[in-house]
Amino acid sequence: TLTIQAGTQVLFRGNYTITANGKLFVNGTPDNKVIFSSRMPVPAVGNWNNITLNSGAVGSVIKYAVYKYATDGFICNNLNQLTIWGCEVNTLAINARAITLNNCENVDIRYNTLNIPGDWVIYKSGEDWDNSGVFIGNNIQAANNGMYIRRFSHLTVDSNTVQTTGQGIRTDYSRNMLCRYNTIAGQDHSIGIH
């Protein structure tokens, strides 16, 4: 278990990644956030890699962090419980996603501000069904597409704001879904439900 307390700055100078194979607790607060960023004198996109959470990181909680100047966002693999709340993710590489969920279930993604140039800001694909996903109150600025969240047995998509040039929210093959109060603006301001 790794716990990072409020106000901590984790600064990278090189091609480094944080890989969590055990629980990761980032305990920022709205007034005292944890910073993940560059340590270079003149920060630039790609100064460090990303944060990866693998299956041993089940139950990880990331709250109120600022995440920037990396090549990619949070990459989450085979997790059975994950919380990401109140984070600011921006200034990443051109193909970056803010949050990638690979075979993750029981995810709770709320109140984040995500400004990303990649293909999707929040991306959860795969052919396996996962138990539940909660996506509430996120503010997304997408150079391409907003949220691609699919194959949840229970899915809540509520009160998100998405500014995009592509698709706003796409929720292929999800069941027991609550989708309400979302605002989508831009070129293709759609919610795709299949």
Side-chain angles (χ1 to χ4, degrees):
T1 299
L2 173 62
T3 301
I4 301 174
Q5 297 299 339
T8 300
Q9 293 186 25
V10 181
L11 305 177
F12 299 88
R13 188 176 219 160
N15 195 18
Y16 297 104
T17 298
I18 293 177
T19 301
N21 292 312
K23 290 182 182 180
L24 174 63
F25 296 105
V26 176
N27 294 332
T29 67
D31 297 325
N32 200 11
K33 296 182 179 183
V34 171
I35 308 294
F36 295 99
S37 187
S38 171
R39 189 172 182 231
M40 300 300 284
V42 179
V45 168
N47 282 165
W48 63 286
N49 282 338
N50 67 293
I51 296 176
T52 299
L53 296 100
N54 292 322
S55 60
V58 66
S60 291
V61 177
I62 300 167
K63 289 189 176 179
Y64 300 104
V66 175
Y67 186 115
K68 57 187 176 178
Y69 300 117
T71 57
D72 212 344
F74 296 103
I75 298 176
C76 310
N77 300 311
N78 305 305
L79 292 174
N80 184 9
Q81 188 175 3
L82 172 67
T83 300
I84 301 176
W85 277 24
C87 294
E88 298 172 25
V89 182
N90 58 54
T91 322
L92 302 185
I94 194 74
N95 59 347
R97 298 173 178 150
I99 301 170
T100 301
L101 303 167
N102 298 313
N103 296 316
C104 295
E105 57 187 345
N106 302 314
V107 297
D108 190 346
I109 312 293
R110 298 183 197 217
Y111 317 122
N112 300 290
T113 300
L114 312 171
N115 187 343
I116 302 300
D119 59 349
W120 292 93
V121 175
I122 298 175
Y123 184 81
K124 188 249 181 226
S125 69
E127 297 304 315
D128 294 330
W129 284 91
D130 293 316
N131 186 35
S132 82
V134 175
F135 300 85
I136 296 176
N138 297 291
N139 183 348
I140 294 173
Q141 298 288 317
N144 292 295
N145 301 294
M147 292 192 284
Y148 183 35
I149 43 180
R150 66 188 310 241
R151 293 195 181 264
F152 280 111
S153 294
H154 303 276
L155 177 62
T156 301
V157 183
D158 191 354
S159 304
N160 298 287
T161 301
V162 181
Q163 176 71 40
T164 178
T165 60
Q167 295 180 43
I169 300 171
R170 184 171 172 181
T171 61
D172 298 358
Y173 306 107
S174 290
R175 302 177 245 182
N176 304 307
M177 183 170 69
L178 171 64
C179 185
R180 66 179 184 185
Y181 308 126
N182 297 288
T183 302
I184 300 172
Q187 187 174 1
D188 180 4
H189 49 278
S190 64
I191 297 179
I193 301 172
H194 302 278

